[in-house]
Amino acid sequence: MLSLAQEKLIRSLATKKGRTESGFCLVEGKKNVAEAKGFVEFSFTDKDSRNFNKLVETVTPQPIAAVAKIPQWELNNLVERPCVVVLDGVQDPGNVGTILRLCLGFKASLLLVESADPSSPKVIRSSAGAFFKVPWCEVMRSEAEAAIASLGRPIYRLENKAGADKSLKKFSAEKAAILIAGSEGQGIKLSISGTSLQITHDDTLESLNVAAALAISLYAFYSK
């Protein structure tokens, strides 16, 4: 059975403050718990607590969850992969989790600027374990441009802009690159210069979801 201290810890992981102070996150579901192997502090099931449904966040939870250590990555870990994806103000946890999966599938790393907390239960569920495998870092907006510049790679900006490169050929020919993407509503707010890329689509569609646009771009980069 879970102790009172363990249940208190689990409850605290519903907030970013609790995760930051403890260094732990909540992982839900059999697959995600398995993918977190090596980071798991302890796991628990619905048989370990009568409060199980209140301790996890999913409405219809799978009967297993775990408390796991949050991976600690640094900027120099990001350049271990050919492409560094920068998310500028992407607040939807589902999108961030999906993008972590894309990074895992296409050998990219992730830098987050004012985006959804990658350690939140919703992001971790959406990432299907990629949260524990993809190098990622968060930086403050005030430090973001210096951090990006320090990576020393050609910079590409995924945006609808006059004169943008619509072919992806130059981007996909790079051996290593940085790809910046913003939210659908506000786009890229970072002023750092780079080559603009545009994913063309039928005019009946107003805009592509950021994860969909990144999937197309990362596939082009990965499959060259």
Side-chain angles (χ1 to χ4, degrees), residues 14-216:
T15 67
K16 183 175 178 63
K17 179 182 178 181
R19 295 189 294 271
T20 300
E21 291 180 349
S22 68
F24 293 113
C25 59
L26 180 65
V27 185
E28 300 177 33
K30 184 177 180 180
K31 176 177 173 55
N32 282 337
V33 171
E35 293 291 340
K37 184 179 179 181
F39 292 91
V40 172
E41 187 75 4
F42 64 87
S43 60
F44 58 98
T45 71
D46 53 356
K47 295 181 180 179
D48 294 315
S49 173
R50 288 174 291 184
N51 298 317
F52 183 85
N53 286 358
K54 295 179 180 178
L55 295 174
V56 296
E57 293 206 348
T58 47
V59 177
T60 55
Q62 298 182 47
I64 186 169
V67 170
K69 294 179 182 177
I70 297 174
Q72 298 297 310
W73 308 96
E74 298 180 354
L75 281 175
N76 60 356
N77 296 125
L78 303 187
V79 294
E80 295 170 1
R81 299 200 170 193
C83 186
V84 179
V85 173
V86 178
L87 294 187
D88 181 2
V90 177
Q91 291 291 334
D92 183 83
N95 277 336
V96 173
T98 298
I99 291 164
L100 277 166
R101 293 183 70 183
L102 291 172
C103 288
L104 180 62
F106 297 122
K107 292 187 176 180
S109 54
L110 187 62
L111 182 64
L112 300 110
V113 181
E114 289 185 353
S115 295
D117 178 11
S119 70
S120 74
K122 289 182 180 179
V123 172
I124 294 175
R125 285 199 305 273
S126 299
S127 81
F131 169 78
F132 296 101
K133 298 179 179 181
V134 171
W136 59 266
C137 288
E138 294 180 281
V139 292
M140 297 175 61
R141 182 166 296 281
S142 60
E143 302 171 352
E145 294 192 16
I148 293 168
S150 74
L151 299 178
R153 292 185 173 187
I155 297 170
Y156 290 82
R157 295 167 57 97
L158 198 55
E159 56 191 349
N160 290 325
K161 186 177 179 180
D165 183 354
K166 299 179 181 180
S167 70
L168 297 180
K169 288 182 180 179
K170 183 180 177 182
F171 170 64
S172 63
E174 299 281 9
K175 290 184 178 179
I178 293 168
L179 181 58
I180 305 175
S183 66
E184 285 183 73
Q186 299 189 36
I188 297 171
K189 292 187 285 185
L190 293 167
S191 60
I192 191 166
S193 61
T195 302
S196 294
L197 298 179
Q198 183 177 358
I199 307 298
T200 57
H201 52 76
D202 192 271
D203 291 340
T204 55
L205 177 67
E206 182 178 351
S207 64
L208 281 173
N209 172 275
V210 62
L214 281 169
I216 294 168

